[in-house]
Amino acid sequence: MSDHVSGGRMLNKAVCFLCRQRKTRCNRNIPECDSCSKAGVECQYVQVKRKPGLRAGYVSTLEERLTKLEKEFQEMKVDGIRAVPAVNVSSSASIAAPSAHVTPDRPAEATSRSVRYTPLDFDPLTANVLNELCAVWFEKYHSWFPILHGPSLMDVLQTAPVLSNTAHYNVFKAIAAVTIPHSYRSDSLTNDQRRQCSEELRGQVVMDSISQLSLQSLQALLILTIRDYGSGRLSECWNLVALAKRMSTQLGYRDMVANYCDNFNQLSTIPPRILPLPVSLVNKEERIRAYWMVEVLDGSSTLGAAWNLNISRPENTALLPCSDTVFTFPEALISVWSFGEAEISSAHSWYVILVTRELWHVHCFLQKTFDTHSATERVRWQTECKGVDQQLVEWRTKFEEAIMQVRAESGNTYDPNVIQTQCIMDLAIISLYQRLALPPAGLEEAQEPWYHAIQRCLDACGDMTTVLRVVDDANLENMNPLIIPCIFVASRFLVVHAKWLNVEIPRNLDLLVYSLKTCGLRWSLARRLERVIRTATAEQKLPSSMSSLPVQFYDLQYSYYDIDESIRIWAEGLHPWMHLAGLEQRVLDQSSFMFPNA
């Protein structure tokens, strides 16, 4: 405090840290202001940095650039160099009309010479734009979301005279809705216009999919779940998954993977389904992958929550996706290739098995209830929890041995499915134990912490940190957004554990927060959750009752998905993290300061 106080008087703009954090009036008394004295916390003063002004000549430079741009614009109008208006996003007419020139190597940021188009002048469904967006999809998304056969889809894009008349038109719309906000490299749209275009395309895809029951409609809905989940719209994502699950059932895909198509349009010992048989191996494989992706999304996007009662029972002998390497071949090569249906030949298949078979036991355990006041019930729950955990440990051993073989055969040392599988296994362990680790509110004196559960959760956090440490930033930015809750749950446990036991926060939290920050370069959900962890870390020394975060954040009886809505409201309202960056925010009233969790 001596650095900010001289001769008993405060330096200019010195403010108490707590008052600045809460945005309340500080009387600047020394050594303690009235607010800190009433709260019973240590009073520390910080020096507020003055915001730098504009550099010399900045306004003159802007005026010169404006004059130059106006001159260039007038010349372009005279010469008639203006792009031919393309069809509006909402139009269903042919997309073969010429559109604005697209330079793939040009960055997304607009230059001073670029032409700005209004949304009416831009059509994201023209062939040149879709070529770029589909290339981005197969480069950055397909490896961890492999439901589309690349050669077949690109062949449709290159050869169809009118794309709107093809069965894949809705799939192209979904790809554009997901990729255009982050990956479209032309400077024809601002960021706000990209988001608006993406939102309009999403609405069209949902309506078209509802009215048309087909494999392509199901694929389009599955692709949209990436967009909704990554943007933190979890309720919308779960609605799409529920719709996709019903469509998958109607299309008979569960029957197909469970019975190897043996009951399709022929005599069988089980009831037959009058459904069309796959027209090709590619069509059959896309159906298989669509079914499993529905189940994977349903199981992984709700892991830790006790309210998802519709998890499908495991199909231990079902038809799994084929080798990812084989799936990249054209149709002509796949037709002469033996898939080896009983063989688990890819990391993606192992990820499917984990989520749809092993995690089913975790979901069932979390849906059970027990009497927290009964010592007998608590022991029974602990024993059952250990049993489920042991199954995960045994499966992890088999997985690691299999992945070493897959890597040796493919020669690929990095696979996003391996990273996702390892992280979701750690998430499953924390979800199993966190409710049992610390006593529920009101039972702190009657019950002691379960140190076995605490250690298993800390081990899972450490394992996740080890996995993420070797992932490049570029790969982490392009990772499946389902990895974000894994990182957040581990970070939350480290913060709550340290606060509850009054110990230092482990250093591996820094890497977890950095991972959230890297994922946040693409997914807004990661940016939101990063703010939560940074705020909790900044408020670590404050009593929980004075925290600006929702009070449920510090209660491990609630899973992440239980508190997501309260976190979203908090993030959109108070923005208490902004003091960390020296940004301004609206001043809270006195009642908000005294009762931050009200």
Side-chain angles (χ1 to χ4, degrees), residues 192-211:
D192 288 339
Q193 290 171 345
R194 293 167 190 263
R195 287 189 289 268
Q196 177 186 355
C197 179
S198 175
E199 188 67 26
E200 292 178 358
L201 287 170
R202 179 194 183 276
Q204 293 180 33
V205 170
V206 172
M207 295 304 298
D208 292 345
S209 299
I210 291 176
S211 60

Side-chain angles (χ1 to χ4, degrees), residues 304-345:
W307 38 257
N308 191 352
L309 304 177
N310 296 319
I311 297 293
S312 302
R313 293 188 63 86
E315 291 287 352
N316 296 325
T317 60
L319 191 61
L320 290 169
C322 72
S323 167
D324 290 340
T325 303
V326 175
F327 193 53
T328 60
F329 293 161
E331 170 73 29
L333 293 179
I334 291 181
S335 62
V336 298
W337 192 280
S338 175
F339 275 5
E341 296 171 341
E343 180 184 1
I344 303 172
S345 53

Side-chain angles (χ1 to χ4, degrees), residues 528 550 563-575 577 586:
R528 176 201 300 170
I563 65 174
D564 172 74
E565 183 65 13
S566 60
I567 288 177
R568 184 190 64 79
I569 295 174
W570 169 86
E572 294 178 355
L574 296 178
H575 301 291
W577 65 89
R586 68 175 187 267

Side-chain angles (χ1 to χ4, degrees), residues 184-226:
Y184 184 52
R185 291 176 288 183
S186 173
D187 57 3
S188 58
L189 291 177
T190 65
N191 289 335
D192 288 339
Q193 290 171 345
R194 293 167 190 263
R195 287 189 289 268
Q196 177 186 355
C197 179
S198 175
E199 188 67 26
E200 292 178 358
L201 287 170
R202 179 194 183 276
Q204 293 180 33
V205 170
V206 172
M207 295 304 298
D208 292 345
S209 299
I210 291 176
S211 60
Q212 179 69 35
L213 180 63
S214 65
L215 170 64
Q216 288 74 28
S217 296
L218 177 58
Q219 290 172 329
L221 287 179
L222 292 175
I223 292 171
L224 285 186
T225 61
I226 300 174

